[in-house]
PDB file of all heavy atoms in Angstrom:
ATOM      1  N   PHE A   1      84.584  87.910  95.718  1.00  0.00           N
ATOM      2  CA  PHE A   1      83.487  88.387  94.886  1.00  0.00           C
ATOM      3  C   PHE A   1      83.866  89.616  94.069  1.00  0.00           C
ATOM      4  O   PHE A   1      83.112  90.034  93.190  1.00  0.00           O
ATOM      5  CB  PHE A   1      82.253  88.665  95.744  1.00  0.00           C
ATOM      6  CG  PHE A   1      81.701  87.429  96.415  1.00  0.00           C
ATOM      7  CD1 PHE A   1      81.290  87.454  97.731  1.00  0.00           C
ATOM      8  CD2 PHE A   1      81.607  86.234  95.723  1.00  0.00           C
ATOM      9  CE1 PHE A   1      80.795  86.321  98.348  1.00  0.00           C
ATOM     10  CE2 PHE A   1      81.113  85.088  96.332  1.00  0.00           C
ATOM     11  CZ  PHE A   1      80.705  85.124  97.651  1.00  0.00           C
ATOM     12  N   GLY A   2      85.022  90.184  94.345  1.00  0.00           N
ATOM     13  CA  GLY A   2      85.544  91.255  93.508  1.00  0.00           C
ATOM     14  C   GLY A   2      86.213  90.739  92.249  1.00  0.00           C
ATOM     15  O   GLY A   2      86.661  91.523  91.419  1.00  0.00           O
ATOM     16  N   GLY A   3      86.308  89.414  92.120  1.00  0.00           N
ATOM     17  CA  GLY A   3      86.912  88.817  90.936  1.00  0.00           C
ATOM     18  C   GLY A   3      88.348  88.386  91.150  1.00  0.00           C
ATOM     19  O   GLY A   3      89.158  88.438  90.226  1.00  0.00           O
ATOM     20  N   GLY A   4      88.681  87.944  92.351  1.00  0.00           N
ATOM     21  CA  GLY A   4      90.051  87.516  92.630  1.00  0.00           C
ATOM     22  C   GLY A   4      91.034  88.664  92.659  1.00  0.00           C
ATOM     23  O   GLY A   4      92.228  88.482  92.403  1.00  0.00           O
ATOM     24  N   THR A   5      90.542  89.857  93.018  1.00  0.00           N
ATOM     25  CA  THR A   5      91.377  91.058  93.012  1.00  0.00           C
ATOM     26  C   THR A   5      92.493  90.976  94.050  1.00  0.00           C
ATOM     27  O   THR A   5      92.256  90.609  95.205  1.00  0.00           O
ATOM     28  CB  THR A   5      90.513  92.299  93.316  1.00  0.00           C
ATOM     29  OG1 THR A   5      89.452  92.357  92.375  1.00  0.00           O
ATOM     30  CG2 THR A   5      91.340  93.571  93.250  1.00  0.00           C
ATOM     31  N   VAL A   6      93.691  91.357  93.644  1.00  0.00           N
ATOM     32  CA  VAL A   6      94.809  91.499  94.570  1.00  0.00           C
ATOM     33  C   VAL A   6      94.776  92.914  95.142  1.00  0.00           C
ATOM     34  O   VAL A   6      94.774  93.897  94.393  1.00  0.00           O
ATOM     35  CB  VAL A   6      96.153  91.251  93.859  1.00  0.00           C
ATOM     36  CG1 VAL A   6      97.313  91.492  94.817  1.00  0.00           C
ATOM     37  CG2 VAL A   6      96.204  89.828  93.292  1.00  0.00           C
ATOM     38  N   GLN A   7      94.743  93.012  96.455  1.00  0.00           N
ATOM     39  CA  GLN A   7      94.807  94.331  97.083  1.00  0.00           C
ATOM     40  C   GLN A   7      96.228  94.885  96.916  1.00  0.00           C
ATOM     41  O   GLN A   7      97.190  94.245  97.328  1.00  0.00           O
ATOM     42  CB  GLN A   7      94.486  94.233  98.584  1.00  0.00           C
ATOM     43  CG  GLN A   7      93.126  93.665  98.907  1.00  0.00           C
ATOM     44  CD  GLN A   7      92.008  94.668  98.718  1.00  0.00           C
ATOM     45  OE1 GLN A   7      92.231  95.836  98.431  1.00  0.00           O
ATOM     46  NE2 GLN A   7      90.773  94.218  98.894  1.00  0.00           N
ATOM     47  N   PRO A   8      96.392  96.056  96.314  1.00  0.00           N
ATOM     48  CA  PRO A   8      97.741  96.630  96.192  1.00  0.00           C
ATOM     49  C   PRO A   8      98.394  96.784  97.564  1.00  0.00           C
ATOM     50  O   PRO A   8      97.752  97.255  98.511  1.00  0.00           O
ATOM     51  CB  PRO A   8      97.484  97.993  95.537  1.00  0.00           C
ATOM     52  CG  PRO A   8      96.175  97.825  94.824  1.00  0.00           C
ATOM     53  CD  PRO A   8      95.362  96.908  95.686  1.00  0.00           C
ATOM     54  N   TYR A   9      99.641  96.390  97.648  1.00  0.00           N
ATOM     55  CA  TYR A   9     100.311  96.391  98.957  1.00  0.00           C
ATOM     56  C   TYR A   9     100.309  97.776  99.587  1.00  0.00           C
ATOM     57  O   TYR A   9     100.108  97.918 100.804  1.00  0.00           O
ATOM     58  CB  TYR A   9     101.749  95.869  98.822  1.00  0.00           C
ATOM     59  CG  TYR A   9     102.466  95.823 100.147  1.00  0.00           C
ATOM     60  CD1 TYR A   9     102.255  94.770 101.027  1.00  0.00           C
ATOM     61  CD2 TYR A   9     103.328  96.850 100.534  1.00  0.00           C
ATOM     62  CE1 TYR A   9     102.885  94.729 102.265  1.00  0.00           C
ATOM     63  CE2 TYR A   9     103.965  96.818 101.765  1.00  0.00           C
ATOM     64  CZ  TYR A   9     103.732  95.760 102.620  1.00  0.00           C
ATOM     65  OH  TYR A   9     104.349  95.728 103.846  1.00  0.00           O
ATOM     66  N   GLU A  10     100.514  98.812  98.769  1.00  0.00           N
ATOM     67  CA  GLU A  10     100.569 100.159  99.336  1.00  0.00           C
ATOM     68  C   GLU A  10      99.211 100.560  99.922  1.00  0.00           C
ATOM     69  O   GLU A  10      99.161 101.302 100.916  1.00  0.00           O
ATOM     70  CB  GLU A  10     101.010 101.172  98.280  1.00  0.00           C
ATOM     71  CG  GLU A  10     100.146 101.273  97.040  1.00  0.00           C
ATOM     72  CD  GLU A  10     100.509 100.285  95.950  1.00  0.00           C
ATOM     73  OE1 GLU A  10     101.227  99.291  96.243  1.00  0.00           O
ATOM     74  OE2 GLU A  10     100.070 100.514  94.789  1.00  0.00           O
ATOM     75  N   HIS A  11      98.115 100.057  99.360  1.00  0.00           N
ATOM     76  CA  HIS A  11      96.794 100.325  99.931  1.00  0.00           C
ATOM     77  C   HIS A  11      96.658  99.640 101.280  1.00  0.00           C
ATOM     78  O   HIS A  11      96.131 100.224 102.233  1.00  0.00           O
ATOM     79  CB  HIS A  11      95.701  99.824  98.988  1.00  0.00           C
ATOM     80  CG  HIS A  11      95.511 100.660  97.768  1.00  0.00           C
ATOM     81  ND1 HIS A  11      94.282 100.828  97.154  1.00  0.00           N
ATOM     82  CD2 HIS A  11      96.377 101.383  97.030  1.00  0.00           C
ATOM     83  CE1 HIS A  11      94.412 101.612  96.106  1.00  0.00           C
ATOM     84  NE2 HIS A  11      95.679 101.952  96.006  1.00  0.00           N
ATOM     85  N   LEU A  12      97.107  98.394 101.356  1.00  0.00           N
ATOM     86  CA  LEU A  12      97.036  97.662 102.618  1.00  0.00           C
ATOM     87  C   LEU A  12      97.853  98.350 103.698  1.00  0.00           C
ATOM     88  O   LEU A  12      97.415  98.474 104.850  1.00  0.00           O
ATOM     89  CB  LEU A  12      97.527  96.232 102.422  1.00  0.00           C
ATOM     90  CG  LEU A  12      96.743  95.350 101.450  1.00  0.00           C
ATOM     91  CD1 LEU A  12      97.401  93.987 101.335  1.00  0.00           C
ATOM     92  CD2 LEU A  12      95.288  95.212 101.888  1.00  0.00           C
ATOM     93  N   ALA A  13      99.038  98.793 103.329  1.00  0.00           N
ATOM     94  CA  ALA A  13      99.901  99.472 104.307  1.00  0.00           C
ATOM     95  C   ALA A  13      99.268 100.770 104.785  1.00  0.00           C
ATOM     96  O   ALA A  13      99.350 101.126 105.974  1.00  0.00           O
ATOM     97  CB  ALA A  13     101.271  99.741 103.689  1.00  0.00           C
ATOM     98  N   GLU A  14      98.615 101.478 103.874  1.00  0.00           N
ATOM     99  CA  GLU A  14      97.961 102.734 104.248  1.00  0.00           C
ATOM    100  C   GLU A  14      96.807 102.486 105.204  1.00  0.00           C
ATOM    101  O   GLU A  14      96.645 103.194 106.207  1.00  0.00           O
ATOM    102  CB  GLU A  14      97.470 103.449 102.990  1.00  0.00           C
ATOM    103  CG  GLU A  14      96.903 104.833 103.243  1.00  0.00           C
ATOM    104  CD  GLU A  14      96.466 105.536 101.969  1.00  0.00           C
ATOM    105  OE1 GLU A  14      96.518 104.914 100.889  1.00  0.00           O
ATOM    106  OE2 GLU A  14      96.060 106.715 102.070  1.00  0.00           O
ATOM    107  N   VAL A  15      95.992 101.468 104.920  1.00  0.00           N
ATOM    108  CA  VAL A  15      94.881 101.147 105.813  1.00  0.00           C
ATOM    109  C   VAL A  15      95.396 100.654 107.163  1.00  0.00           C
ATOM    110  O   VAL A  15      94.836 100.985 108.219  1.00  0.00           O
ATOM    111  CB  VAL A  15      93.950 100.102 105.169  1.00  0.00           C
ATOM    112  CG1 VAL A  15      92.868  99.665 106.148  1.00  0.00           C
ATOM    113  CG2 VAL A  15      93.317 100.655 103.903  1.00  0.00           C
ATOM    114  N   SER A  16      96.468  99.876 107.155  1.00  0.00           N
ATOM    115  CA  SER A  16      97.049  99.397 108.404  1.00  0.00           C
ATOM    116  C   SER A  16      97.493 100.558 109.292  1.00  0.00           C
ATOM    117  O   SER A  16      97.185 100.604 110.493  1.00  0.00           O
ATOM    118  CB  SER A  16      98.235  98.479 108.106  1.00  0.00           C
ATOM    119  OG  SER A  16      98.826  98.003 109.295  1.00  0.00           O
ATOM    120  N   SER A  17      98.186 101.513 108.710  1.00  0.00           N
ATOM    121  CA  SER A  17      98.626 102.683 109.481  1.00  0.00           C
ATOM    122  C   SER A  17      97.430 103.483 109.981  1.00  0.00           C
ATOM    123  O   SER A  17      97.408 103.939 111.131  1.00  0.00           O
ATOM    124  CB  SER A  17      99.520 103.576 108.617  1.00  0.00           C
ATOM    125  OG  SER A  17     100.714 102.915 108.277  1.00  0.00           O
ATOM    126  N   LEU A  18      96.440 103.643 109.132  1.00  0.00           N
ATOM    127  CA  LEU A  18      95.237 104.381 109.499  1.00  0.00           C
ATOM    128  C   LEU A  18      94.557 103.741 110.709  1.00  0.00           C
ATOM    129  O   LEU A  18      94.187 104.432 111.676  1.00  0.00           O
ATOM    130  CB  LEU A  18      94.279 104.408 108.312  1.00  0.00           C
ATOM    131  CG  LEU A  18      92.901 105.031 108.522  1.00  0.00           C
ATOM    132  CD1 LEU A  18      93.029 106.533 108.716  1.00  0.00           C
ATOM    133  CD2 LEU A  18      92.002 104.710 107.328  1.00  0.00           C
ATOM    134  N   CYS A  19      94.390 102.436 110.658  1.00  0.00           N
ATOM    135  CA  CYS A  19      93.720 101.732 111.753  1.00  0.00           C
ATOM    136  C   CYS A  19      94.501 101.832 113.050  1.00  0.00           C
ATOM    137  O   CYS A  19      93.943 102.147 114.113  1.00  0.00           O
ATOM    138  CB  CYS A  19      93.520 100.263 111.381  1.00  0.00           C
ATOM    139  SG  CYS A  19      92.261  99.983 110.127  1.00  0.00           S
ATOM    140  N   HIS A  20      95.773 101.568 112.967  1.00  0.00           N
ATOM    141  CA  HIS A  20      96.560 101.540 114.198  1.00  0.00           C
ATOM    142  C   HIS A  20      96.730 102.934 114.784  1.00  0.00           C
ATOM    143  O   HIS A  20      96.755 103.101 116.007  1.00  0.00           O
ATOM    144  CB  HIS A  20      97.883 100.830 113.938  1.00  0.00           C
ATOM    145  CG  HIS A  20      97.701  99.392 113.570  1.00  0.00           C
ATOM    146  ND1 HIS A  20      98.501  98.731 112.658  1.00  0.00           N
ATOM    147  CD2 HIS A  20      96.780  98.478 113.977  1.00  0.00           C
ATOM    148  CE1 HIS A  20      98.090  97.476 112.536  1.00  0.00           C
ATOM    149  NE2 HIS A  20      97.049  97.303 113.316  1.00  0.00           N
ATOM    150  N   ASP A  21      96.784 103.953 113.948  1.00  0.00           N
ATOM    151  CA  ASP A  21      96.827 105.332 114.456  1.00  0.00           C
ATOM    152  C   ASP A  21      95.522 105.694 115.164  1.00  0.00           C
ATOM    153  O   ASP A  21      95.517 106.504 116.097  1.00  0.00           O
ATOM    154  CB  ASP A  21      97.081 106.319 113.303  1.00  0.00           C
ATOM    155  CG  ASP A  21      98.498 106.254 112.777  1.00  0.00           C
ATOM    156  OD1 ASP A  21      99.352 105.630 113.432  1.00  0.00           O
ATOM    157  OD2 ASP A  21      98.748 106.820 111.690  1.00  0.00           O
ATOM    158  N   ALA A  22      94.420 105.093 114.708  1.00  0.00           N
ATOM    159  CA  ALA A  22      93.115 105.370 115.308  1.00  0.00           C
ATOM    160  C   ALA A  22      92.788 104.454 116.478  1.00  0.00           C
ATOM    161  O   ALA A  22      91.711 104.557 117.070  1.00  0.00           O
ATOM    162  CB  ALA A  22      92.024 105.245 114.239  1.00  0.00           C
ATOM    163  N   GLY A  23      93.700 103.534 116.793  1.00  0.00           N
ATOM    164  CA  GLY A  23      93.463 102.601 117.885  1.00  0.00           C
ATOM    165  C   GLY A  23      92.543 101.451 117.524  1.00  0.00           C
ATOM    166  O   GLY A  23      91.970 100.799 118.399  1.00  0.00           O
ATOM    167  N   LEU A  24      92.391 101.185 116.222  1.00  0.00           N
ATOM    168  CA  LEU A  24      91.563 100.080 115.748  1.00  0.00           C
ATOM    169  C   LEU A  24      92.436  98.898 115.352  1.00  0.00           C
ATOM    170  O   LEU A  24      93.605  99.053 115.002  1.00  0.00           O
ATOM    171  CB  LEU A  24      90.720 100.520 114.550  1.00  0.00           C
ATOM    172  CG  LEU A  24      89.797 101.716 114.760  1.00  0.00           C
ATOM    173  CD1 LEU A  24      89.015 102.007 113.484  1.00  0.00           C
ATOM    174  CD2 LEU A  24      88.854 101.487 115.928  1.00  0.00           C
ATOM    175  N   SER A  25      91.847  97.725 115.374  1.00  0.00           N
ATOM    176  CA  SER A  25      92.542  96.511 114.957  1.00  0.00           C
ATOM    177  C   SER A  25      92.208  96.193 113.508  1.00  0.00           C
ATOM    178  O   SER A  25      91.265  96.739 112.934  1.00  0.00           O
ATOM    179  CB  SER A  25      92.160  95.342 115.865  1.00  0.00           C
ATOM    180  OG  SER A  25      92.538  95.597 117.206  1.00  0.00           O
ATOM    181  N   LEU A  26      92.975  95.269 112.924  1.00  0.00           N
ATOM    182  CA  LEU A  26      92.833  94.955 111.502  1.00  0.00           C
ATOM    183  C   LEU A  26      92.939  93.447 111.296  1.00  0.00           C
ATOM    184  O   LEU A  26      93.917  92.819 111.707  1.00  0.00           O
ATOM    185  CB  LEU A  26      93.929  95.676 110.711  1.00  0.00           C
ATOM    186  CG  LEU A  26      93.837  95.678 109.185  1.00  0.00           C
ATOM    187  CD1 LEU A  26      92.550  96.322 108.696  1.00  0.00           C
ATOM    188  CD2 LEU A  26      95.042  96.416 108.596  1.00  0.00           C
ATOM    189  N   HIS A  27      91.902  92.892 110.664  1.00  0.00           N
ATOM    190  CA  HIS A  27      91.862  91.458 110.348  1.00  0.00           C
ATOM    191  C   HIS A  27      91.992  91.255 108.848  1.00  0.00           C
ATOM    192  O   HIS A  27      91.389  91.997 108.053  1.00  0.00           O
ATOM    193  CB  HIS A  27      90.548  90.841 110.826  1.00  0.00           C
ATOM    194  CG  HIS A  27      90.353  89.416 110.390  1.00  0.00           C
ATOM    195  ND1 HIS A  27      91.091  88.374 110.924  1.00  0.00           N
ATOM    196  CD2 HIS A  27      89.516  88.853 109.461  1.00  0.00           C
ATOM    197  CE1 HIS A  27      90.709  87.235 110.356  1.00  0.00           C
ATOM    198  NE2 HIS A  27      89.768  87.500 109.454  1.00  0.00           N
ATOM    199  N   LEU A  28      92.744  90.243 108.453  1.00  0.00           N
ATOM    200  CA  LEU A  28      92.872  89.882 107.048  1.00  0.00           C
ATOM    201  C   LEU A  28      92.216  88.537 106.789  1.00  0.00           C
ATOM    202  O   LEU A  28      92.623  87.517 107.368  1.00  0.00           O
ATOM    203  CB  LEU A  28      94.344  89.793 106.626  1.00  0.00           C
ATOM    204  CG  LEU A  28      94.575  89.283 105.198  1.00  0.00           C
ATOM    205  CD1 LEU A  28      93.970  90.220 104.161  1.00  0.00           C
ATOM    206  CD2 LEU A  28      96.069  89.085 104.919  1.00  0.00           C
ATOM    207  N   ASP A  29      91.188  88.547 105.941  1.00  0.00           N
ATOM    208  CA  ASP A  29      90.680  87.305 105.382  1.00  0.00           C
ATOM    209  C   ASP A  29      91.565  86.994 104.180  1.00  0.00           C
ATOM    210  O   ASP A  29      91.329  87.466 103.072  1.00  0.00           O
ATOM    211  CB  ASP A  29      89.218  87.463 104.975  1.00  0.00           C
ATOM    212  CG  ASP A  29      88.646  86.191 104.342  1.00  0.00           C
ATOM    213  OD1 ASP A  29      89.402  85.205 104.204  1.00  0.00           O
ATOM    214  OD2 ASP A  29      87.463  86.199 103.967  1.00  0.00           O
ATOM    215  N   GLY A  30      92.580  86.216 104.430  1.00  0.00           N
ATOM    216  CA  GLY A  30      93.549  85.866 103.392  1.00  0.00           C
ATOM    217  C   GLY A  30      93.350  84.451 102.895  1.00  0.00           C
ATOM    218  O   GLY A  30      94.335  83.738 102.653  1.00  0.00           O
ATOM    219  N   ALA A  31      92.094  84.067 102.723  1.00  0.00           N
ATOM    220  CA  ALA A  31      91.808  82.710 102.250  1.00  0.00           C
ATOM    221  C   ALA A  31      92.643  82.372 101.021  1.00  0.00           C
ATOM    222  O   ALA A  31      93.172  81.268 100.896  1.00  0.00           O
ATOM    223  CB  ALA A  31      90.319  82.567 101.937  1.00  0.00           C
ATOM    224  N   ARG A  32      92.780  83.362 100.127  1.00  0.00           N
ATOM    225  CA  ARG A  32      93.591  83.163  98.918  1.00  0.00           C
ATOM    226  C   ARG A  32      94.795  84.107  98.910  1.00  0.00           C
ATOM    227  O   ARG A  32      95.231  84.567  97.848  1.00  0.00           O
ATOM    228  CB  ARG A  32      92.723  83.357  97.668  1.00  0.00           C
ATOM    229  CG  ARG A  32      91.624  82.307  97.520  1.00  0.00           C
ATOM    230  CD  ARG A  32      90.775  82.522  96.282  1.00  0.00           C
ATOM    231  NE  ARG A  32      89.785  81.471  96.098  1.00  0.00           N
ATOM    232  CZ  ARG A  32      88.577  81.464  96.656  1.00  0.00           C
ATOM    233  NH1 ARG A  32      88.199  82.477  97.430  1.00  0.00           N
ATOM    234  NH2 ARG A  32      87.735  80.460  96.442  1.00  0.00           N
ATOM    235  N   LEU A  33      95.357  84.365 100.088  1.00  0.00           N
ATOM    236  CA  LEU A  33      96.558  85.185 100.154  1.00  0.00           C
ATOM    237  C   LEU A  33      97.704  84.541  99.379  1.00  0.00           C
ATOM    238  O   LEU A  33      98.565  85.235  98.822  1.00  0.00           O
ATOM    239  CB  LEU A  33      96.982  85.389 101.615  1.00  0.00           C
ATOM    240  CG  LEU A  33      98.145  86.360 101.845  1.00  0.00           C
ATOM    241  CD1 LEU A  33      97.778  87.775 101.418  1.00  0.00           C
ATOM    242  CD2 LEU A  33      98.588  86.339 103.305  1.00  0.00           C
ATOM    243  N   TRP A  34      97.712  83.221  99.322  1.00  0.00           N
ATOM    244  CA  TRP A  34      98.728  82.513  98.541  1.00  0.00           C
ATOM    245  C   TRP A  34      98.688  82.965  97.079  1.00  0.00           C
ATOM    246  O   TRP A  34      99.733  83.116  96.445  1.00  0.00           O
ATOM    247  CB  TRP A  34      98.492  80.999  98.611  1.00  0.00           C
ATOM    248  CG  TRP A  34      98.138  80.471  99.956  1.00  0.00           C
ATOM    249  CD1 TRP A  34      96.924  79.982 100.351  1.00  0.00           C
ATOM    250  CD2 TRP A  34      98.996  80.373 101.101  1.00  0.00           C
ATOM    251  NE1 TRP A  34      96.982  79.575 101.659  1.00  0.00           N
ATOM    252  CE2 TRP A  34      98.229  79.797 102.143  1.00  0.00           C
ATOM    253  CE3 TRP A  34     100.336  80.691 101.343  1.00  0.00           C
ATOM    254  CZ2 TRP A  34      98.754  79.543 103.409  1.00  0.00           C
ATOM    255  CZ3 TRP A  34     100.858  80.447 102.608  1.00  0.00           C
ATOM    256  CH2 TRP A  34     100.077  79.890 103.621  1.00  0.00           C
ATOM    257  N   ASN A  35      97.486  83.188  96.539  1.00  0.00           N
ATOM    258  CA  ASN A  35      97.357  83.645  95.154  1.00  0.00           C
ATOM    259  C   ASN A  35      97.876  85.066  94.988  1.00  0.00           C
ATOM    260  O   ASN A  35      98.502  85.397  93.971  1.00  0.00           O
ATOM    261  CB  ASN A  35      95.900  83.573  94.700  1.00  0.00           C
ATOM    262  CG  ASN A  35      95.392  82.144  94.608  1.00  0.00           C
ATOM    263  OD1 ASN A  35      94.917  81.589  95.597  1.00  0.00           O
ATOM    264  ND2 ASN A  35      95.494  81.541  93.442  1.00  0.00           N
ATOM    265  N   ALA A  36      97.618  85.928  95.980  1.00  0.00           N
ATOM    266  CA  ALA A  36      98.157  87.288  95.921  1.00  0.00           C
ATOM    267  C   ALA A  36      99.673  87.263  95.934  1.00  0.00           C
ATOM    268  O   ALA A  36     100.339  87.991  95.181  1.00  0.00           O
ATOM    269  CB  ALA A  36      97.623  88.104  97.095  1.00  0.00           C
ATOM    270  N   HIS A  37     100.239  86.424  96.773  1.00  0.00           N
ATOM    271  CA  HIS A  37     101.698  86.268  96.844  1.00  0.00           C
ATOM    272  C   HIS A  37     102.252  85.756  95.518  1.00  0.00           C
ATOM    273  O   HIS A  37     103.256  86.275  95.009  1.00  0.00           O
ATOM    274  CB  HIS A  37     102.031  85.301  97.984  1.00  0.00           C
ATOM    275  CG  HIS A  37     103.423  84.771  97.976  1.00  0.00           C
ATOM    276  ND1 HIS A  37     104.529  85.564  98.193  1.00  0.00           N
ATOM    277  CD2 HIS A  37     103.888  83.512  97.753  1.00  0.00           C
ATOM    278  CE1 HIS A  37     105.621  84.817  98.124  1.00  0.00           C
ATOM    279  NE2 HIS A  37     105.259  83.579  97.851  1.00  0.00           N
ATOM    280  N   ALA A  38     101.582  84.757  94.935  1.00  0.00           N
ATOM    281  CA  ALA A  38     102.051  84.202  93.659  1.00  0.00           C
ATOM    282  C   ALA A  38     101.970  85.233  92.542  1.00  0.00           C
ATOM    283  O   ALA A  38     102.823  85.262  91.645  1.00  0.00           O
ATOM    284  CB  ALA A  38     101.228  82.964  93.298  1.00  0.00           C
ATOM    285  N   ALA A  39     100.952  86.088  92.585  1.00  0.00           N
ATOM    286  CA  ALA A  39     100.749  87.067  91.514  1.00  0.00           C
ATOM    287  C   ALA A  39     101.688  88.260  91.623  1.00  0.00           C
ATOM    288  O   ALA A  39     102.061  88.849  90.605  1.00  0.00           O
ATOM    289  CB  ALA A  39      99.301  87.559  91.520  1.00  0.00           C
TER     290      ALA A  39
END
């Protein structure tokens, strides 16, 4: 619903580190992860 936006990899990595440092888990709804990879 954001318009097929690709999450910048560096943003994802930053959130991943943030979550794991805080003891939280992280789920990816990558329904169209193939499109992010292609782009």
Side-chain angles (χ1 to χ4, degrees):
F1 296 137
T5 304
V6 176
Q7 301 282 355
Y9 181 80
E10 59 273 17
H11 286 213
L12 298 178
E14 186 178 5
V15 174
S16 180
S17 295
L18 175 69
C19 288
H20 296 144
D21 288 348
L24 303 181
S25 298
L26 190 59
H27 173 71
L28 174 63
D29 178 359
R32 295 180 176 86
L33 186 64
W34 317 110
N35 293 87
H37 165 67

